[in-house]
Amino acid sequence: MNIVRAASGKAVKAFMIGLLVAGIATVAAFHAPSVMFARPGWFDGGIRLLRDDGEVSYYFLHSSWIDRSGQAVTLTQDYPPLGVLYFSLPRLLTKNFEAFEVAFVSLNAVLYALLFVVMSLLLDGEGRSKRRLAFFLLPAFLYFSLWRFDILPTLLAAGALLAAKRKAPEPAFLLLLAAAMAKWYAALFFPPFFIYFALLGGREIPIKRLQNAIFLTAGAGIALIALVASVAGFGALVEPVLFHLSRDFEMGSVGAVLLTGMRAVGIDRPLLHGALARLFFLMQFAAVIPVVWKEYPKDFRSLVRACVFVLIPFMALGSVFSAQWIVWLAPLVLVVADATDLALLAALDLTVFVQFPVLFGINPYGSAYAVFTFIRSGLFAALWWRNSRAFFSRAQRMPQTLPEAGGQLPPLSGSYSNRKAIR
């Protein structure tokens, strides 16, 4: 009972600290002009240094479906349905943009504080210093936590990791499903999670729980798809995927910089353009293959590293780079990072913030923006390489028997185990 009270007290304290940080940042932002250091010749007319009315106005316009009582409901097709539902919630309270904006950012502030709690529990469970939570104060992470809705899938994914840490497959998979239905990227985490729980099945958790978790998650997914399809049509599920698949290289992506350089030396051709797009697309998802092939997430820390391993290529090599994606990555890295990784993460956050809102507000087509794209990509590569080395070396050091379970690790596939012993 005392342990429960102590844990509850720590969670409340962490929530209050997170809410205080988010509250101060929110008040400061709303007391600042939307555009600072205004210059008529700049791309954005100035820099959205503390607040970003532009993106919130997009959410406001695309949440108008909630006001159409008695009419057919249509969801904006840029985002998955749970994301749309989330940023539409303030519409239940007001049709005024200013009030909508305050409600939306305040809601994000509460989720920021909840993420602070979940990360505090994860760090404590891994024996990591709570001082790592100071990374929540880094400018890009704090800015995009408040002014985008990516804090929602990040919180859900972090909750799934906490459930995995506690060896609870049912909430882990359900939270991961919810995260993926808010932003598709979380779907990349399903293979590592499945392997992690499959290797625990029958030893540290009953195999029946894993089976129940899979059926429960599949049922919840089917029910959610049916609900969205009946209310808004299958387009609310399919079109967000098709929309993003159809996007060409945009400024801020590595591909766009490479194409600009190719044009500068006169070697840009439609065939090369198409080949580069296909190559980058395949490389975005290729990191899932060794995770599945090697059956590597054999403990919780390697599960987190597996998530980092599949996420960074998806972020770094896409045809589009959105600065708010730093919110997806930072909590994962904080759980497993060493001192060098923490320095790289801090540098990445600052680099992202310089790109947006600073350089974007001035000129996203200029050479400075392209230089920072390469700097950002180099930091991604360094983080990914260091994480990969730690991930695979840890997996290879894992014993074939789990001391705490007293049993041999089962193969996920007989054909693979016949070819090669599990490392």
Side-chain angles (χ1 to χ4, degrees):
M1 189 60 127
N2 291 333
I3 295 176
V4 174
R5 288 178 180 174
S8 299
K10 290 179 180 179
V12 171
K13 181 180 179 181
F15 179 80
M16 295 308 298
I17 293 174
L19 195 60
L20 177 63
V21 170
I24 293 172
T26 299
V27 171
F30 278 115
H31 279 80
S34 296
V35 174
M36 303 176 71
F37 312 106
R39 298 288 187 278
W42 285 359
F43 178 79
D44 232 6
I47 302 172
R48 291 178 258 172
L49 194 63
L50 295 179
R51 67 187 283 181
D52 190 355
D53 297 336
E55 195 72 12
V56 181
S57 65
Y58 181 88
Y59 299 152
F60 178 75
L61 290 173
H62 287 79
S63 62
S64 60
W65 62 272
I66 213 166
D67 296 328
R68 300 172 186 167
S69 57
Q71 299 182 23
V73 174
T74 56
L75 301 183
T76 174
Q77 305 307 321
D78 289 14
Y79 301 112
L82 288 188
V84 176
L85 290 173
Y86 174 75
F87 68 64
S88 299
L89 287 177
R91 277 277 189 167
L92 297 172
L93 304 175
T94 180
K95 298 179 183 180
N96 175 269
F97 172 69
E98 287 74 18
F100 175 95
E101 184 177 37
V102 172
F104 173 74
V105 175
S106 299
L107 186 60
N108 282 348
V110 173
L111 265 60
Y112 175 95
L114 290 174
L115 180 62
F116 201 89
V117 174
V118 174
M119 289 303 302
S120 176
L121 295 173
L122 282 171
L123 292 174
D124 190 52
E126 286 297 291
R128 300 292 195 180
S129 171
K130 298 289 184 61
R131 293 177 182 176
R132 294 183 178 221
L133 292 173
F135 277 73
F136 275 51
L137 298 173
L138 290 175
F141 187 87
L142 181 56
Y143 182 94
F144 292 112
S145 292
L146 295 178
W147 294 102
R148 302 291 190 272
F149 74 90
D150 294 74
I151 189 69
L152 171 64
T154 299
L155 173 61
L156 293 169
L161 282 175
L162 184 60
K165 174 68 178 176
R166 296 177 176 180
K167 300 180 175 65
E170 301 91 346
F173 282 113
L174 286 172
L175 286 168
L176 207 55
L177 172 66
M181 295 299 285
K183 274 287 180 83
W184 299 129
Y185 82 92
L188 292 169
F189 299 160
F190 272 103
F193 267 73
F194 176 77
I195 294 172
Y196 169 77
F197 279 113
L199 293 176
L200 293 178
R203 285 153 177 80
E204 296 190 55
I205 59 173
I207 193 68
K208 186 71 173 177
R209 287 194 64 186
L210 177 59
Q211 294 171 346
N212 290 339
I214 293 172
F215 286 122
L216 184 62
T217 305
I222 292 171
L224 183 59
I225 289 171
L227 177 62
V228 173
S230 64
V231 173
F234 276 106
L237 294 164
V238 176
E239 290 183 30
V241 178
L242 298 179
F243 169 76
H244 290 289
L245 289 177
S246 67
R247 297 173 76 174
D248 198 0
F249 290 118
E250 297 180 9
M251 294 309 299
S253 67
V254 179
V257 176
L258 292 177
L259 286 174
T260 301
M262 290 164 62
R263 292 190 189 103
V265 296
I267 61 172
D268 182 26
R269 298 290 186 275
L271 185 61
L272 286 174
H273 188 141
L276 192 66
R278 289 179 177 83
L279 176 63
F280 273 50
F281 177 79
L282 293 174
M283 290 171 63
Q284 271 189 285
F285 302 99
V288 176
I289 297 173
V291 171
V292 175
W293 183 258
K294 295 293 187 179
E295 303 175 0
Y296 267 174
K298 291 181 170 65
D299 65 353
F300 177 73
R301 194 163 293 186
S302 63
L303 170 63
V304 181
R305 288 199 180 278
C307 292
V308 175
F309 182 75
V310 299
L311 180 59
I312 287 181
F314 181 79
M315 295 171 60
L317 301 176
S319 59
V320 178
F321 180 80
S322 296
Q324 65 263 26
W325 294 350
I326 188 69
V327 180
W328 305 351
L329 179 66
L332 299 172
V333 175
L334 290 179
V335 176
V336 295
D338 60 16
T340 302
D341 295 330
L342 292 177
L344 289 170
L345 180 63
L348 178 63
D349 186 283
L350 295 173
T351 300
V352 167
F353 191 74
V354 170
Q355 278 205 283
F356 189 101
V358 179
L359 292 178
F360 183 89
I362 298 171
N363 181 14
Y365 299 97
S367 57
Y369 197 84
V371 168
F372 269 80
T373 296
F374 276 119
I375 294 173
R376 184 195 74 220
S377 301
L379 292 169
F380 269 135
L383 265 177
W384 187 79
W385 177 248
R386 289 180 56 80
N387 176 79
S388 302
R389 290 180 60 191
F391 173 45
F392 287 112
S393 65
R394 181 177 180 84
Q396 291 172 348
R397 291 196 305 269
M398 290 294 293
Q400 289 187 337
T401 57
L402 294 174
E404 64 273 21
Q408 188 172 2
L409 289 172
L412 291 182
S413 61
S415 59
Y416 173 72
S417 60
N418 290 335
R419 291 194 306 269
K420 197 169 187 178
I422 295 177
R423 297 178 182 180

